[in-house]
Amino acid sequence: SSPVLAPRVFSFFALSSCLVIAGCCAGATATPAESTLPTTIVTPLGAEDLCELLERADAELARENFTEAEALYARAFEHDVTGEFRLRSLLGLGTARDLAANSTGALEAYERYVGFAPAGLARRRVEVRVVRLLVYLERYDVAEKRARLVEVTDLGPLERVALLAARALGSLENDDETTAERDISAARGILDPLGIDFVERIPLDVAALAFAEGELARRRAGRIRFDPLPPDFADVLEARCRLLLDAQGRYSEAMRAKNVHYSAMAGVRVGELYRELHHDLLTMPPPAAATTPERRQLVEGALRLRYAVLLDKATAMMESTLGMLARSEAAAIDPDRDWSARARASLEAIERARRDEERALAALPYTRAQLEQALRDLEVKKASEAAEITVPPEKH
């Protein structure tokens, strides 16, 4: 099956709830006024019974013939007879588009459904679908506002997680980490009893939550800087690396949804975490032990050797992400959210940093062996402490 998009992972919910909410025409209820209206529509192609048309649409949807189902639901909606049939047509239309990975089209149909539907569980469940798609389309601020308006009574656990994940992502976009953390914690409290951590492929609602957790850790890691050089440098670096690994773990969890979009977002984020750490380490002031120009050059070269591995990790993640996108037909479905372009831009930045490294190392008056020895000297004590660094003779 295609790892295409959020809607595919919602298929069990989307398909079953469409058929349950709609019901069959024979069992549908109508007001006395509605019951007198005809259910046959006349088109240039002939007369069609609206109930039969919708049943054909349901059958095509069940067979995963989404294009055919969409066309039939659209035709039924165009010949709207009653409010009841209108809702059924819109729900089917949104579901067919949803499962076919037409996120924008599905959102439009679901929004119209919500606008027509009376208050109740059926409308709330479609409101959850609206929130899911807004998150998927990265419209986090709007998704948060919509999520906070949905009454959660009688909603399932994953539906409630979807709303909390949307709220967390929207809060992070608005720099409200406290509220985001609270919603993330509430969502984890719902998930933990379900044992979803042990399934091979997680639902997209869980992926959205994991991505929000990764974003929270990434933001906190980025606030830990090394300029001015902190007196407890080793402890500060350890704290940032701990947050980096925490963010990477959460992004990796999002990848377990086996969804191209979430895998691309997570892959780019992980690569950028390593690139940004490399940048911040290489632009920090020299340690106190580097008291002369010669020692500062030696320390600079040693640190460039030490932290080059961060660029290696960033490169590997970006290349892996681009390879995954190149193999997937889904990568071109949403050009407005082209994470392949972001990955390429980030990879180019990494390659520029690597070239800068090579030029800087070549310009130093020391051999690689001398730099490696200086690195070993630096590791004897914390970089913030006064350590004796022996300056070797310049290379010839």
Side-chain angles (χ1 to χ4, degrees), residues 9-10 128 132 158-159 161-162 165 191 202-210:
V9 182
F10 301 155
V128 173
R132 282 169 165 154
L158 287 180
E159 291 171 309
V161 167
L191 285 177
I202 62 172
L204 279 202
D205 295 330
V206 182
L209 176 65

Side-chain angles (χ1 to χ4, degrees), residues 185-208:
S185 178
R188 282 294 168 188
I190 295 170
L191 285 177
D192 287 346
L194 302 180
I196 287 180
D197 286 345
F198 301 102
V199 302
E200 179 180 356
R201 182 175 183 177
I202 62 172
L204 279 202
D205 295 330
V206 182

